[in-house]
Amino acid sequence: MSVAFPVTAPEGALPAALVERLGSAAARSAATGRPDETLLAELGEAGLFGVAVPAAYGGFGGDATLINHVVAQVARVNPSAAIMLFQHYAVSARVEEWGDAAQRARLLPALAKGDLLAASGWSEPGAGAAKKRLNTTAVRLPDGRWRLDGTKSFTTGAGVAGLYLILARTAEDPGAAGAAGAAGAAGAAGSTNDERDSGYGASGQTFFLVPADDEGLRPDQSLDLIGMRGSATGFVSLHGCVVGDEDRLGPLGEATRIIAGVRRTGATLGAVSLGIASALLDLAVEQVNRRPGPPDQVTRFRLVDLATRIEAAHAVIDRSGRRDAADPGLATLHSKLFATETAEQVGVEVARLLGSAGYTVANRVNGLMADARAVAHMGPTNDLCRELVSSTWLG
Ligand SMILES: Cc1cc2nc3c(=O)[nH]c(=O)nc-3n(C[C@H](O)[C@H](O)[C@H](O)COP(=O)(O)OP(=O)(O)OC[C@H]3O[C@@H](n4cnc5c(N)ncnc54)[C@H](O)[C@@H]3O)c2cc1C
């Protein structure tokens, strides 16, 4: 199946056939806990992978408003596919922003066409939400290449992605220099990151673009999640994973600069939550419409209150996408916080409204509530958003 993707303006809608496929794939993944790889191919054929890639490289050249709009629409029917797309868009945008001419020419056309699905491996056991304590190391080899070792956890798209953006600790960095001295790679492996760094990430960290077919990279989809069950969120281990210096993205030891820039782009995971909240409201409206007779006033007013909150979430996400706030980075953090909390609260209200009918494993409300919870955990976690916002006021 090939469906042309007509969304060239924010108000554009996804093709009905694609919406149907996203919905049927979501239902199947909810039962199996597995991603639908055929769906991913269809999303690629429909052109959805190219939203964040500039037209010069075969993409749509979409801005944050379009990215948020597409992600919210996909999330309304399939939140797992939405987070995979969100990560893909994020990596595509980082390559566009920080890649050199050769990296952009090599990767962006494939990312746009859907030949390459991109994933992000930043999290790892013990690293903390702010990724200050990475155990994954990248060690420079005498021939100039890099050897990566470590294990990433909760990587969305593990095993289905063709390219992984891996955050690793490097030896040749300003943060590790004091602790590791000239000991180089071995010294870096035994040192800690600079804990004095504020915000997200730490000095001495570097990004690498690792192809899935690297012999040292092994994905593992054994994580059994309560939500986002079709997102292939799993582990990625790197053992003796060797990449060239041409696979390093951005400045050595200064991944924090790249990370800080992410939120200023206006693309927000809050868009996933907006889609989930809208799906929850759809469920409630369907249920109320199935009841005999017109709904009572209390029920109608409850539905209106939910819709009003969702409208407000929509508004903050649009503001984040427009990047016209005094501080666009803060607006993006606020939008994630507000939209994720809205989706979680709407879930509780809708579950109550559905009554016992909603209290079955098969009822979609439970999967959507688990999906809503996932977005609050995704980076930057909601508490880390609060930390980042408050630190701009309080120093
Ligand atoms: C469905 C799903 C998909 C995901 N996809 C990806 C992905 O594609 N790539 C990826 O790299 N990661 C991904 N993650 C992982 C996610 O980014 C991490 O769960 C997140 O960064 C938190 O890490 P942690 O659980 O180790 O945090 P912990 O440090 O264990 O946090 C525990 C709690 O403490 C709070 N906390 C910790 N440190 C701080 C701080 N400095 N300031 C304020 N609060 C703090 C956290 O907010 C959290 O509530 C995904 C997670 C989920 C659930």
Side-chain angles (χ1 to χ4, degrees):
M1 183 187 77
S2 176
V3 207
F5 175 49
V7 179
T8 51
E11 62 278 8
L14 295 177
L18 192 59
V19 171
E20 203 180 306
R21 273 293 292 130
L22 283 160
S24 62
R28 230 185 348 270
S29 291
T32 62
R34 309 281 306 165
D36 184 327
E37 296 196 31
T38 315
L39 173 73
L40 290 175
E42 289 166 8
L43 294 178
E45 281 171 33
L48 260 79
F49 284 2
V51 169
V53 174
Y57 295 97
F60 278 89
D63 57 9
T65 299
L66 182 62
I67 290 170
N68 293 340
H69 171 73
V70 170
V71 167
Q73 282 196 82
V74 172
R76 191 166 185 162
V77 259
N78 190 326
S80 291
I83 62 169
M84 283 197 265
L85 281 177
F86 187 87
Q87 299 293 2
H88 177 82
Y89 295 157
V91 176
S92 304
R94 297 297 79 71
V95 172
E96 202 265 319
E97 194 183 359
W98 289 93
D100 57 30
Q103 286 171 324
R104 291 202 294 268
R106 177 161 53 92
L107 297 172
L108 289 176
L111 289 166
K113 262 173 68 186
D115 293 345
L116 261 190
L117 173 70
S120 273
W122 303 16
S123 302
E124 54 184 68
K131 316 289 180 275
K132 299 273 182 205
R133 298 176 300 274
L134 290 186
N135 284 314
T136 298
T137 53
V139 169
R140 193 129 205 193
L141 299 172
D143 62 6
R145 293 183 300 160
W146 293 88
R147 180 192 154 124
L148 275 63
D149 290 281
T151 300
K152 294 294 176 181
S153 53
F154 286 91
T155 303
T156 293
V160 291
L163 183 73
Y164 295 85
L165 180 65
I166 298 290
L167 184 62
R169 197 149 57 86
T170 37
E172 298 164 25
D173 64 73
S191 71
T192 59
N193 291 317
D194 187 346
E195 295 291 342
R196 289 164 302 169
D197 278 13
S198 60
Y200 204 176
S203 65
Q205 297 175 350
T206 305
F207 280 115
F208 293 88
L209 290 159
V210 183
D213 59 5
D214 189 298
E215 281 181 7
L217 183 145
R218 290 255 186 290
D220 169 351
Q221 292 182 350
S222 62
L223 265 177
D224 195 9
L225 303 182
I226 60 161
M228 298 295 184
R229 288 178 60 74
S231 66
T233 295
F235 298 99
V236 174
S237 62
L238 306 143
H239 292 301
C241 174
V242 177
V243 296
D245 197 45
E246 67 277 10
D247 296 313
R248 173 167 57 84
L249 184 73
L252 181 59
E254 293 183 42
T256 46
R257 283 174 55 200
I258 301 181
I259 295 172
V262 172
R263 57 180 173 271
R264 287 195 290 271
T265 65
T268 169
L269 271 170
V272 179
S273 301
L274 173 64
I276 296 171
S278 307
L280 283 159
L281 182 62
D282 293 343
L283 265 186
V285 171
E286 268 169 39
Q287 165 87 2
V288 167
N289 278 333
R290 271 202 301 270
R291 291 177 186 159
D296 57 53
Q297 191 185 53
V298 173
T299 304
R300 283 186 284 119
F301 283 16
R302 263 203 214 170
L303 290 176
V304 172
D305 286 346
L306 296 181
T308 306
R309 281 193 236 168
I310 294 170
E311 270 302 301
H314 206 151
V316 289
I317 285 162
D318 280 351
R319 178 169 157 94
S320 171
R322 285 195 310 273
R323 303 177 67 243
D324 58 3
D327 183 335
L330 279 186
T332 304
L333 292 168
H334 283 299
S335 75
K336 197 230 172 192
L337 270 173
F338 188 75
T340 49
E341 303 248 314
T342 298
E344 288 191 272
Q345 289 158 6
V346 169
V348 171
E349 296 281 331
V350 170
R352 187 182 309 161
L353 208 139
L354 297 185
S356 337
Y359 200 68
T360 60
V361 171
N363 195 297
R364 194 166 167 240
V365 71
N366 300 303
L368 288 170
M369 286 173 79
D371 292 341
R373 226 178 111 193
V375 190
H377 288 308
M378 291 179 74
T381 63
N382 282 9
D383 275 345
L384 185 56
C385 289
R386 292 185 178 94
E387 193 61 54
L388 294 169
V389 172
S390 67
S391 68
T392 65
W393 302 330
L394 304 173

